[in-house]
Amino acid sequence: MNVLITGGFGCIGSYAARDLLNAGNQVVIYDMVEDRSIPRMTMPTEQAEALVFEPGDITDLPALLRVVKSRRIDRIVHLASWQVPACQANPPKALRVVSEGTINVFEAARLFELPRVVWASSVAVFGSPDDYGGKAVKNDDPHYPKFIYGANKSLCERYAVHYVNEYGCDIIGLRFTSVYGVGRTRGLSSFTTKMIEAAAYDEPYTTPFGDDIVDWQYVEDVSSAVCLALTAPAPKTRNFTVKGDYRSVKEGVEHLRSLVPSARLDVEPGIFGIQWEYDASALERELGFSPQYTMERGIERALERFRELKPLLRP
């Protein structure tokens, strides 16, 4: 396959690029800036330096189409987006980047009749626990987004279904939760990664949202879901929630302290404000995906990797 990854120099994109290359595929990174720092954390240096890069903005449809045509792309993994804080600070531009940029990818799929597009939605399309009566949110439950980011992702899900129904496009959206692991550097839910990094390097860190129970979604599982969705038979459902390990923030902190007794971690009270408990049975039933990393295993793997990367990250 010739796969274009938008936002491919980000965290999820770097892991997906590594896994797709290791499976024998051709990968092209479409991003605004050539920054290989995260790929260097996720794959061998020579592989990171050899990544094919095409500079471009997802809001520039002609540029995107030129790359799809010139590189003979047959599948797209669309990950380029703004995160929650940036969207909250600039709602007009958030609409352009998150929604219009995603629709441009759908247009490319329509115009070039691509076999498959996989794109990153988010559980931010859903609301707070009160909106669902305290029960786990089902895959097709209604959306009550609390952030501009989630509202834009919800709009994109509607557009995705339209492109499937009206034009016969093959599009799969994956709603990720609180993704963590080496390379996760941005976003409001990156605090789980930051506390592991701090413990690895003997640095103090105050973990927020200490009263919450969140979905710990290790990035290796996220990459596996993306790669599976690229080649799976066309499903009936078009937007899937991807689930990790639903555990409290305090449990994660305590497990990290058990691994690093000298860790200087404090816990700040509070909650994130959205629902974190989900029913991901649709994804397992239709695509055959289930997570392989428990919270403990993911924290241990991330801690080990941060220590391996110390010469690069803390020279």
Side-chain angles (χ1 to χ4, degrees):
M1 298 185 297
N2 291 334
V3 184
L4 183 73
I5 305 180
T6 72
F9 284 143
C11 180
I12 297 173
S14 296
Y15 283 89
R18 179 201 66 185
D19 292 347
L20 288 167
L21 287 169
N22 290 343
N25 301 291
Q26 303 297 314
V27 173
V28 177
I29 303 298
Y30 187 81
D31 218 320
M32 293 184 69
V33 178
E34 184 175 6
D35 181 356
R36 298 174 188 259
S37 57
I38 297 178
R40 293 186 190 109
M41 301 178 199
T42 65
M43 63 184 74
T45 301
E46 60 273 16
Q47 193 177 46
E49 298 302 328
L51 282 171
V52 177
F53 170 58
E54 287 280 2
D57 188 332
I58 55 170
T59 65
D60 185 346
L61 179 58
L64 177 64
L65 296 178
R66 283 195 297 271
V67 171
V68 171
K69 182 178 181 179
S70 65
R71 293 290 182 176
R72 299 186 178 182
I73 299 299
D74 50 46
R75 283 168 173 82
I76 298 178
V77 175
H78 174 51
L79 303 172
S81 181
W82 272 11
Q83 300 293 325
V84 171
C87 292
Q88 289 295 101
N90 193 338
K93 192 167 182 179
L95 181 65
R96 188 174 180 212
V97 173
V98 181
S99 295
E100 185 180 333
T102 300
I103 295 164
N104 284 344
V105 172
F106 298 163
E107 269 293 283
R110 179 181 74 85
L111 293 171
F112 288 105
E113 299 181 343
L114 302 184
R116 176 68 50 84
V117 168
V118 176
W119 70 283
S121 185
S122 169
V123 293
V125 301
F126 298 118
S128 67
D130 290 342
D131 292 321
Y132 305 96
K135 298 179 181 179
V137 177
K138 297 179 182 178
N139 197 78
D140 57 354
D141 272 349
H143 296 179
Y144 303 106
K146 305 303 180 188
F147 304 111
I148 292 296
Y149 171 78
N152 277 280
K153 291 292 188 180
S154 180
L155 177 62
C156 292
E157 289 198 11
R158 295 285 182 173
Y159 266 86
V161 172
H162 175 79
Y163 273 79
V164 171
N165 293 339
E166 294 296 319
Y167 307 123
C169 296
D170 197 336
I171 300 170
I172 296 176
L174 299 175
R175 301 183 192 113
F176 300 126
T177 63
S178 183
V179 179
Y180 70 103
V182 170
R184 178 72 197 277
T185 59
R186 298 188 298 271
L188 199 58
S189 62
S190 63
F191 68 94
T192 47
T193 299
K194 291 176 181 176
M195 77 178 196
I196 300 169
E197 183 177 13
Y201 300 139
D202 191 30
E203 298 169 351
Y205 185 73
T206 299
T207 304
F209 314 119
D211 298 318
D212 215 346
I213 304 173
V214 303
D215 189 70
W216 295 74
Q217 190 164 69
Y218 187 56
V219 67
E220 300 270 5
D221 274 334
V222 172
S223 178
S224 295
V226 168
C227 294
L228 175 63
L230 270 180
T231 58
K236 175 182 177 182
T237 303
R238 287 299 169 168
N239 297 297
F240 292 97
T241 299
V242 188
K243 188 178 183 296
D245 194 3
Y246 182 60
R247 306 282 290 279
S248 74
V249 172
K250 289 179 181 176
E251 281 183 278
V253 172
E254 288 307 310
H255 184 61
L256 190 53
R257 284 173 175 162
S258 74
L259 299 171
V260 188
S262 62
R264 293 180 285 164
L265 301 175
D266 291 323
V267 181
E268 187 175 72
I271 61 172
F272 197 94
I274 67 170
Q275 169 76 326
W276 288 113
E277 186 178 8
Y278 305 99
D279 177 355
S281 58
L283 180 66
E284 183 172 6
R285 181 174 62 253
E286 295 190 41
L287 294 188
F289 175 82
S290 59
Q292 301 301 304
Y293 283 86
T294 62
M295 180 197 73
E296 288 85 356
R297 187 183 173 206
I299 289 175
E300 290 161 13
R301 176 62 184 137
L303 179 66
E304 175 187 30
R305 186 63 181 144
F306 271 122
R307 286 171 168 169
E308 292 171 351
L309 289 169
K310 187 173 182 179
L312 174 66
L313 301 180
R314 298 293 190 280

